[in-house]
Amino acid sequence: MLSLKVPLKNAESVKKQLMKKELLDYGFKPKKEGAYLYFPIKNSVKIKSAELVEETFEKKEKQSYIANLPREIKEKLPSSFDIIGDIIIIDITKDIEKYEKEIAASLLETHKSVKTILKKSGIHEGEFRTQKLIYLAGEEKKETIYKENDIQLKLDVEKVYFSPRLSSERKRIYQKVRKGENILVMFSGCGPYVFTISKNTEAKHILGIEKNPVAHEYALGNIVLNKAKNVELVNADVREYLPKLKERYDRVIMPLPKEAELFLMDAFKVVKKGTVVHLYGFEHEDEFYKAEEKLASEAKKAGIKYRLLEFIKCGNYSPGKFRVCLDFKIL
Ligand SMILES: C[S@@+](CC[C@H](N)C(=O)[O-])C[C@H]1O[C@@H](n2cnc3c(N)ncnc32)[C@H](O)[C@@H]1O
């Protein structure tokens, strides 16, 4: 996995910088070899005196974030949880519910920058893909400021869909953007794609369209927070809004993995020769071919010709099922 190789004398200051940027991977143990310390990290980063290298690391035992619990309970603890800004969101299954207060207290104790622990109650659902969350410990709040790829996003983690697990995928996308591009982000949420692109590229203009009014309000606030100059946001249903657009975009991003293909016909209305489209979906590993089948069928109906550029697995959804992205170019 990705790692930073740091001379021992600089280890403490590099660790602080990694923690501040929320790049340290707490699931693995840093290791010492000779005069160097190796930190497991989530994303590539440039830090003075540190070298980016590939390394293997020992997984931290789950107990590291939990004190004084029976062993059979420790074994059932989730191996990971999301940290969004200063909020931890954890999945507590029925069989360990009895211990949730102790688990939450331990998480607060072991994560000094975290102020609030929430637990998931159900899955992302509804048109806005939001998730009910229950307060467990710390400060009683659901709003936070999250940092990634040199941007900040303010959001309510219950009223707005957001996944910190997609930060490297967002980086993959912004690294493809060329100077002067006009970009459309459908389903833009509180703005993770919009702002990572605005901050890290020389795109000319980025339009984000989001239907959830709460997500849209946060996204508007995030324009100010990120001092973004080339971002325009609209609170609308893409289906109603896209037909009104005269612009034909250089790049169209479709981060609605559940049934995004149903919006392809709408997306085809704003493409031109050379447009690159990033189409997300959920597919089982035995049926990855279905992602392209769905695209091929919609493109045929619309009389659109395309060339497939890349197929990327960009996250786990459930056992055997992945979040995938198809990149294709309009011909
Ligand atoms: C999976 S979330 C992705 C949000 C954001 N792009 C991100 O990565 O955090 C999908 C988003 O699409 C929005 N949405 C769903 N249907 C929509 C539609 N017809 N028009 C515009 N936005 C829609 C939802 O409210 C939600 O915020």
Side-chain angles (χ1 to χ4, degrees), residues 27-300:
F28 296 87
K29 289 183 187 165
K31 67 180 182 187
K32 189 178 148 220
E33 268 176 26
Y36 294 94
L37 198 70
Y38 293 78
F39 288 110
I41 55 172
K42 296 184 203 163
N43 255 324
S44 77
V45 61
K46 263 193 197 154
I47 293 185
K48 211 173 153 199
S49 83
E51 186 190 342
L52 213 52
V53 291
E54 277 292 323
E55 268 300 325
T56 51
F57 290 94
E58 200 182 318
K59 253 194 153 166
K60 269 194 195 158
E61 291 187 13
K62 290 172 185 173
Q63 292 91 310
S64 62
Y65 71 91
I66 299 296
N68 307 327
L69 282 179
R71 191 137 79 87
E72 65 276 16
I73 299 302
K74 284 183 184 175
E75 272 158 17
K76 290 178 184 155
L77 289 172
S79 55
S80 69
F81 41 80
D82 284 336
I83 305 183
I84 305 185
D86 59 1
I87 297 180
I88 282 184
I89 300 173
I90 187 164
D91 200 358
I92 303 269
T93 47
K94 276 256 169 282
D95 46 357
I96 54 170
E97 226 169 46
K98 207 168 116 193
Y99 297 94
E100 65 187 24
K101 291 289 173 194
E102 285 98 320
I103 296 168
S106 245
L107 283 169
L108 272 183
E109 184 56 38
T110 48
H111 293 75
K112 296 293 178 204
S113 61
V114 167
K115 295 207 173 71
T116 303
I117 314 292
L118 304 175
K119 74 164 173 173
K120 295 181 185 178
S121 163
I123 51 164
H124 287 107
E125 59 188 359
E127 193 177 25
F128 297 160
R129 313 303 301 144
T130 48
Q131 182 176 42
K132 186 108 198 73
L133 298 167
I134 297 173
Y135 166 81
L136 284 184
E139 218 176 279
E140 209 164 338
K141 61 166 193 160
K142 289 178 180 165
E143 187 178 81
T144 189
I145 295 183
Y146 166 85
K147 293 180 190 151
E148 74 163 48
N149 294 316
D150 283 336
I151 62 151
Q152 301 186 62
L153 294 172
K154 190 170 185 181
L155 71 146
D156 180 308
V157 289
E158 186 174 58
K159 294 184 182 144
V160 173
Y161 173 93
F162 177 72
S163 173
R165 298 181 190 203
L166 292 172
S167 69
S168 13
E169 172 57 14
R170 290 187 274 265
K171 184 170 185 182
R172 182 183 78 85
I173 300 292
Y174 81 62
Q175 285 177 332
K176 295 187 182 297
V177 172
R178 298 208 195 105
K179 189 174 175 179
E181 281 192 14
N182 267 325
I183 300 178
L184 168 66
V185 181
M186 294 165 69
F187 323 111
S188 48
C190 64
Y193 282 90
V194 169
F195 294 108
T196 47
I197 293 172
S198 172
K199 176 78 187 187
N200 296 289
T201 75
E202 292 183 72
K204 185 171 165 203
H205 185 76
I206 306 145
L207 170 66
I209 306 177
E210 168 57 49
K211 192 169 179 184
N212 176 355
V214 181
H216 174 69
E217 272 309 308
Y218 275 109
L220 289 179
N222 290 331
I223 291 189
V224 183
L225 203 57
N226 293 286
K227 301 187 181 76
K229 297 269 187 285
N230 55 353
V231 166
E232 181 190 347
L233 300 168
V234 179
N235 181 206
D237 186 321
V238 289
R239 220 158 243 167
E240 287 163 19
Y241 198 76
L242 292 187
K244 297 182 195 161
L245 290 170
K246 301 250 179 327
E247 181 73 44
R248 297 296 170 256
Y249 292 84
D250 299 304
R251 190 173 299 274
V252 175
I253 304 172
M254 301 180 67
L256 179 78
K258 201 163 186 287
E259 300 179 325
E261 71 278 2
L262 299 182
F263 290 88
L264 270 171
M265 285 299 189
D266 306 282
F268 288 152
K269 293 186 181 120
V270 292
V271 299
K272 58 186 176 184
K273 190 173 172 209
T275 301
V276 172
V277 183
H278 305 280
L279 171 69
Y280 289 87
F282 290 130
E283 298 295 345
H284 195 277
E285 58 192 338
D286 299 335
E287 296 179 334
F288 280 158
Y289 62 90
K290 282 199 173 165
E292 214 224 317
E293 264 185 13
K294 291 173 195 166
L295 165 63
S297 140
E298 294 303 288
K300 194 172 171 200

